[in-house]
Amino acid sequence: ENWRAASAWHQLNLPQIRLEPILKDHAEELAPGRIRFGHELTALERDAEGVTATIRDLDAGSDSTVRCRYLIGADGGRTVPGLVGISHVGLGVVTQTATMHVSADFSQLAQDDDVLLRWLVSPQTGVSVVMVPMGPERWGRHSEEWVIHLNYPVDDPSAQSDAKVEADVRASLGIPSTAFVVGYLGRLSYEKKVCDLISAFSGSNADYLLIGGWGIEEERLRAQARELGIADRVEFTGWLHDARRAIASFDVFALASRDEAFPLTIVEAMLGGTPVVASDVGSVAEAVIDSETGLLVPSGDVPALVDALRRLLGDGELRDRLATAAHAHALQHFTDTAMADGYDRLWRSILR
């Protein structure tokens, strides 16, 4: 009875969860007091003059009746045919919908500030694409997160293949399927030396650099990307609410800091199967064992960082080997269970 509980597919519900309050406010402006959200048709009676419908308020759990001349049930034949004793004729399902939830900057693609939902027809894939901004801090074309729906024909098995759906999204939006993505998540502050990462990226032959996070250095870093002529390949995503999902989309996670204690982002990358390149500062080497669980470079050595990125870009087997070893190393040493066991052994040794 309620879409919140009717589907285990959280991504299919994201448009309702995020957009329903916005649509509700807009509807109230257009027709004050006349549009109801969170209501469901549960019964109806017909006569020569019209229809009496029973409507349930899902939040309050109460029922009310509405008298109308016409009633339109646009739910694919799920409710109305059964209530009036007829069978549904025609397709109950017109398309199969595959959905992706992504963190990306589509502001260059979606250039109209007045458009909220975007419908595209992709000649490359033969499917229709709906792009829904998900905010949460910025809306419209500057949204940090998006839900992308691809509508496939009912008998097309492509909707059941994650690889096919991802390939179709890339083709529809003009993103090369072979794009090599370097990523960073963290503060945009001086000690993180994101400027060194941007410089290294410009000489690495990688396709895209995704920089997630906020900080006082952001405008200077954007200016640096423009000066190097790579602004169209460097994406500043802002704060990301699902860091693990973002890191898993990177081909390489890169950390160029001049000073660190023990950065948890490299552990997230290792647990997510993303190979790591990091500067050898602080306790980074406890996680990134050079050429075993990742690649280490001296802090501030941009040419060394360029070489490390190029090395990973050109060697898929090396990326896989490092990622596999890093995942095992992180599971053994850096999960909550491993840390708890370590503290337990430490305290027991002290108390003996």
Side-chain angles (χ1 to χ4, degrees):
E1 293 185 1
N2 189 330
W3 59 260
R4 294 180 181 86
S7 172
W9 297 90
H10 179 66
Q11 68 269 32
L12 292 182
N13 289 334
L14 280 169
Q16 289 89 340
I17 294 170
R18 294 271 181 87
L19 293 179
E20 187 172 273
I22 295 174
L23 296 176
K24 183 177 180 180
D25 290 343
H26 187 57
E28 185 64 25
E29 291 178 4
L30 296 175
R34 296 172 55 197
I35 299 177
R36 300 287 186 270
F37 280 71
H39 288 63
E40 184 177 42
L41 173 70
T42 59
L44 62 87
E45 295 180 0
R46 295 181 295 167
D47 56 44
E49 301 298 325
V51 180
T52 300
T54 301
I55 307 297
R56 177 166 300 162
D57 183 331
L58 296 177
D59 291 330
S62 59
D63 291 344
S64 58
T65 59
V66 175
R67 182 65 181 172
C68 54
R69 187 173 180 183
Y70 299 102
L71 184 145
I72 300 174
D75 63 354
R78 184 173 65 90
T79 304
V80 174
L83 294 177
V84 300
I86 62 175
S87 59
H88 178 79
V89 177
L91 291 174
V93 178
V94 179
T95 64
Q96 291 190 86
T97 300
T99 302
M100 297 183 70
H101 180 209
V102 301
S103 298
D105 181 359
F106 289 130
S107 58
Q108 296 302 311
L109 175 67
Q111 296 189 12
D112 190 337
D113 287 317
D114 295 327
V115 175
L116 184 62
L117 309 183
R118 301 171 192 276
W119 279 262
L120 309 173
V121 177
S122 170
Q124 298 96 329
T125 63
V127 299
S128 62
V129 179
V130 183
M131 300 177 63
V132 185
M134 290 286 105
E137 302 297 332
R138 299 188 296 271
W139 289 89
R141 70 187 187 98
H142 294 289
S143 176
E144 312 98 291
E145 300 178 19
W146 296 76
V147 162
I148 300 175
H149 301 291
L150 281 79
N151 297 314
Y152 291 91
V154 174
D155 58 352
D156 190 336
S158 298
Q160 309 302 321
S161 168
D162 289 346
K164 176 62 174 168
V165 170
E166 181 178 348
D168 285 346
V169 168
R170 286 179 175 270
S172 300
L173 302 180
I175 301 173
S177 60
T178 57
F180 189 90
V181 179
V182 178
Y184 163 81
L185 264 62
R187 294 193 311 278
L188 305 185
S189 53
Y190 173 74
E191 71 277 6
K192 296 298 184 180
K193 282 295 183 179
V194 181
C195 57
D196 285 354
L197 176 56
I198 292 175
S199 295
F201 166 77
S202 69
S204 69
N205 296 324
D207 295 295
Y208 294 99
L209 173 61
L210 268 61
I211 298 174
W214 289 335
I216 60 174
E217 292 280 289
E218 180 172 345
E219 288 306 316
R220 190 172 73 85
L221 295 171
R222 287 180 179 272
Q224 179 188 5
R226 290 192 296 269
E227 291 169 3
L228 292 172
I230 56 173
D232 60 332
R233 297 191 293 123
V234 179
E235 301 286 353
F236 290 84
T237 67
W239 182 261
L240 297 175
H241 288 256
D242 193 343
R244 289 182 179 178
R245 184 191 298 269
I247 291 174
S249 71
F250 302 157
D251 292 293
V252 171
F253 180 83
L255 185 73
S257 299
R258 66 183 293 272
D259 184 33
E260 287 285 354
F262 184 79
L264 294 180
T265 49
I266 60 174
V267 176
E268 294 285 3
M270 294 165 72
L271 289 171
T274 300
V276 175
V277 175
S279 52
D280 189 3
V281 295
S283 298
V284 169
E286 294 182 19
V288 182
I289 303 170
D290 190 34
S291 297
E292 293 185 23
T293 63
L295 298 181
L296 288 176
V297 298
S299 176
D301 191 337
V302 173
L305 185 53
V306 171
D307 289 343
L309 292 175
R310 285 183 170 180
R311 184 179 170 193
L312 289 174
L313 173 60
D315 193 339
E317 291 185 2
L318 175 62
R319 295 198 303 271
D320 291 342
R321 177 173 65 79
L322 294 177
T324 300
H327 183 261
H329 185 65
L331 284 177
Q332 181 178 358
H333 296 286
F334 303 124
T335 63
D336 52 356
T337 300
M339 295 296 288
D341 289 344
Y343 277 113
D344 181 68
R345 291 193 299 271
L346 174 64
W347 286 112
R348 288 180 184 274
S349 67
I350 294 174
L351 294 173
R352 285 195 183 103

